[in-house]
Amino acid sequence: MQNIRVKEIRTLLQGELLNGSEDWLVKHAIYYNRHDLTHSNTLIFVNRNDAVNWNEIDNKGPSLVISDKSSTELKNALTNTTVIQVKSNVQAYWKFIEYYRNLFQIPVVALTGTCGKTTTKEMIKHIASKDWHVQASVSSKNEPRQSLPYLTGIDETTEAAVFELGLGNTGNIKHQCMIYQPTIGIITNIGVHHLDGCKNLEGYIKAKSEIVEGITKGGTLIINGDDENTKKVPLHTFKGKIITLGIQEQANYRASKIQFTKNGMRFVLQVSDEKFNVFVPGYGEHQVYNALAAIAAVKEMGMTINHAIARLRTYKPMARHLEFSTGIGECTIVDDTWTNNPTSVEAALKVLDTIGKGKKVILVLGDIKRLGNFEEKYHREIGSMVAKRNIQTLITIGKRAEDIAKQALKDGTSAEVHIFKDVTGVLDVLKPKLDPETIVLIKGPMSSRSMIEFANNLKDI
C-alpha cells in the first residue's frame, strides 16, 4: 500500500479526531471482522454494530480506526489507537476506495467468466511480469471481501494490475468493479454456475454482464465472440472499445489451424492483416481461447503481440487444471479437480476426444454444486454427453453425480457404469483396469477434499 498520513485521511473523510495522533503513516487497510489485523500502521473501518476488541487493535498499534460508532463507544480506544469518527462508515469506506484507486493511472484488468478466469489471469500476469511490477489476485481467491486488500496491494511501484472477479450472487461483480475501476474487462465465457445465487441462467448472464458497466469510461471490453451466452450480454450502452476473440466466427483476434502438440496447443493467430504462430502450454480448445484473451489484454496494456507470444511459451499451467501425470500401472491420470461445472466438464471431454484416441478411457465424475433448482437437469445433460463418446468405464461419486450415470445408461452408453456415494471402494474397481493404454479423467469440485486426495493417491502409488 502507498503510505498515507493520517491527517490526510481525516481531511479526506471530513471526520473528527477523537483519540490519538494523526501525525503518522498508514501502510495497510482492512475492514474489521472481514480481514485479519496482522500489521501495525493499519487503517481499520469499524461498523457501528461491531463488537470491538480494543486491546487487539492497540497491540498492533499504531492503528487508525474509522467508525460511525457513538463518541462514548469510541472513547474506549487505548493510547496507541487513533480514532476518527465519521457520519457514515459506508460512505467513508467508498470515499477512501475512490481516493486510493485514483492515485494510480495504470492499466487494470478485471476478468469474469464461468471457466478460464484464473488461467487467463495467470497468463496475463506471467506475460506482463517480465517487464512490469504487477499486482494480481491470488490463485482463484476472488471473493468480493478480498477486493480491498487486493486494491491496496497496489503501490507507487505497481505498473499494472489484474484481478479475477468472483460471482456468488447478483451484485458481486458490480461491487468489485466499483473498487477496482478496471480499464480493461474480460468475459472468458458464460456457461452454467451459481444458479443458487442467481436463480436461473438469465439471472446468471445478467450478473456476469455487470462488468460491462463496471469498466472505466473509454476502457476496453474483451469478449468471446463464439460463446452463445456471451452474445446475450447487452452491449448497446457500452461506450468503450470492444475486442472479440474467436475460433469459429470472424473476430478481432482469431485462431485457426489449431493442433494438439507435445505439452500444449499450436495455432495461427490473425489480428487485422497480421498472422502469428502461437504455442500455449496446456491442452484443449478452451486453452486457445484463454491465450487469445491474454494476448489481447496485454496488447491493450501496451505490450506487443510478439512479446506476449514469446512469454506465453514459458507459462506453466496451473495444478489440477487438466494436469497430466503417470499413475498406477503406468496409466495416464488427468487431474481436473480444480473446479466443476457443466462448461468445464464439456471442455475436459473435448480434450479426451483427441488425447484419448486409441486409449481405454475411464471417467471419474463428482457432484456439480451451486446449480440451485437445475441440479438434475445439468447432471443429466452431462450423462448424455458421456453416452455419445467412446468411454470404457464411467464412475460417478456423490448423490448429485448419480444422475450423470442414470442418464448415460438411459441414453445407451457402452461404458461399464459404477455409482458410488463417496470415494470408498472406487480404487478397488479401478486398479485392475489401469495399464499404459488407459487414461483416467478425474473431475470433481475443489470443495471435495476426498476427490482431490483420491486423485493424488492414484498419482502417488
Side-chain angles (χ1 to χ4, degrees), residues 123-160:
M123 284 180 177
I124 294 169
K125 179 184 174 184
H126 176 77
I127 294 168
S129 293
K130 184 176 188 296
D131 299 308
W132 292 345
H133 179 244
V134 180
Q135 164 66 351
S137 48
V138 177
S139 186
S140 60
K141 296 177 181 177
N142 56 24
E143 304 89 346
R145 68 193 298 268
Q146 301 280 357
S147 303
L148 174 62
Y150 285 151
L151 177 70
T152 54
I154 297 173
D155 62 23
E156 58 273 16
T157 69
T158 307
E159 295 167 282

Side-chain angles (χ1 to χ4, degrees), residues 2-290:
Q2 182 166 313
N3 298 345
I4 308 172
R5 195 160 295 279
V6 173
K7 185 177 181 179
E8 188 176 341
I9 294 172
R10 181 185 61 76
T11 303
L12 169 73
L13 303 181
Q14 298 180 317
E16 181 182 354
L17 181 67
L18 296 187
N19 191 71
S21 167
E22 59 180 7
D23 191 26
W24 54 276
L25 294 173
V26 165
K27 300 178 181 180
H28 309 276
I30 67 169
Y31 212 109
Y32 198 61
N33 288 338
R34 294 185 195 174
H35 312 113
D36 294 331
L37 175 58
T38 56
H39 298 97
S40 61
N41 296 75
T42 297
L43 181 162
I44 308 162
F45 289 99
V46 178
N47 282 331
R48 66 181 64 185
N49 296 323
D50 285 337
V52 180
N53 183 337
W54 291 106
N55 285 313
E56 176 196 27
I57 291 174
D58 209 65
N59 287 338
K60 289 292 183 183
S63 297
L64 170 61
V65 168
I66 306 291
S67 183
D68 54 5
K69 280 181 173 291
S70 69
S71 300
T72 303
E73 289 183 87
L74 293 175
K75 284 177 180 176
N76 291 324
L78 302 176
T79 56
N80 212 19
T81 302
T82 298
V83 176
I84 295 175
Q85 185 185 46
V86 293
K87 291 180 180 178
S88 166
N89 197 55
V90 172
Q91 289 180 11
Y93 171 76
W94 284 109
K95 196 165 189 176
F96 174 79
I97 289 288
E98 183 179 17
Y99 163 79
Y100 194 83
R101 172 63 182 88
N102 288 333
L103 290 175
F104 309 98
Q105 304 305 312
I106 60 173
V108 175
V109 182
L111 304 93
T112 190
T114 304
C115 297
K117 296 186 296 296
T118 307
T119 295
T120 304
K121 182 256 301 179
E122 291 295 323
M123 284 180 177
I124 294 169
K125 179 184 174 184
H126 176 77
I127 294 168
S129 293
K130 184 176 188 296
D131 299 308
W132 292 345
H133 179 244
V134 180
Q135 164 66 351
S137 48
V138 177
S139 186
S140 60
K141 296 177 181 177
N142 56 24
E143 304 89 346
R145 68 193 298 268
Q146 301 280 357
S147 303
L148 174 62
Y150 285 151
L151 177 70
T152 54
I154 297 173
D155 62 23
E156 58 273 16
T157 69
T158 307
E159 295 167 282
V162 53
F163 302 116
E164 183 177 331
L165 306 179
L167 169 61
N169 297 284
T170 301
N172 286 163
I173 289 176
K174 180 180 180 180
H175 174 93
Q176 292 170 93
C177 284
M178 288 172 67
I179 293 174
Y180 297 137
Q181 297 178 39
T183 59
I184 300 168
I186 300 174
I187 303 175
T188 57
N189 51 60
I190 302 177
V192 179
H193 209 195
H194 298 292
L195 300 189
D196 52 348
C198 300
K199 296 185 179 179
N200 52 38
L201 178 58
E202 290 71 27
Y204 182 63
I205 294 171
K206 186 177 180 181
K208 288 291 186 188
S209 301
E210 290 171 5
I211 193 173
V212 177
E213 296 299 321
I215 299 168
T216 55
K217 186 177 179 180
T220 300
L221 175 64
I222 299 170
I223 57 173
N224 182 334
D226 293 339
D227 185 64
E228 292 304 316
N229 286 331
T230 302
K231 292 176 183 177
K232 299 173 185 176
V233 172
L235 300 176
H236 60 280
T237 60
F238 184 66
K239 303 300 183 185
K241 178 180 180 181
I242 296 175
I243 294 175
T244 56
L245 319 170
I247 291 174
Q248 294 135 17
E249 304 282 347
Q250 289 300 319
N252 301 120
Y253 283 68
R254 186 170 186 268
S256 62
K257 299 181 180 178
I258 298 168
Q259 296 177 307
F260 281 74
T261 187
K262 185 179 180 181
N263 298 324
M265 310 295 292
R266 292 192 184 278
F267 62 93
V268 174
L269 166 64
Q270 180 162 354
V271 183
S272 297
D273 295 328
E274 291 188 278
K275 291 186 177 181
F276 307 85
N277 293 314
V278 183
F279 170 78
V280 55
Y283 289 117
E285 191 177 86
H286 64 283
Q287 193 75 334
V288 174
Y289 283 106
N290 294 339

Side-chain angles (χ1 to χ4, degrees), residues 341-362:
N341 56 60
T343 305
S344 66
V345 172
E346 184 174 13
L349 291 176
K350 285 181 177 179
V351 170
L352 282 188
D353 290 342
T354 299
I355 300 295
K357 281 180 181 175
K359 296 264 190 181
K360 293 180 290 183
V361 177
I362 298 175

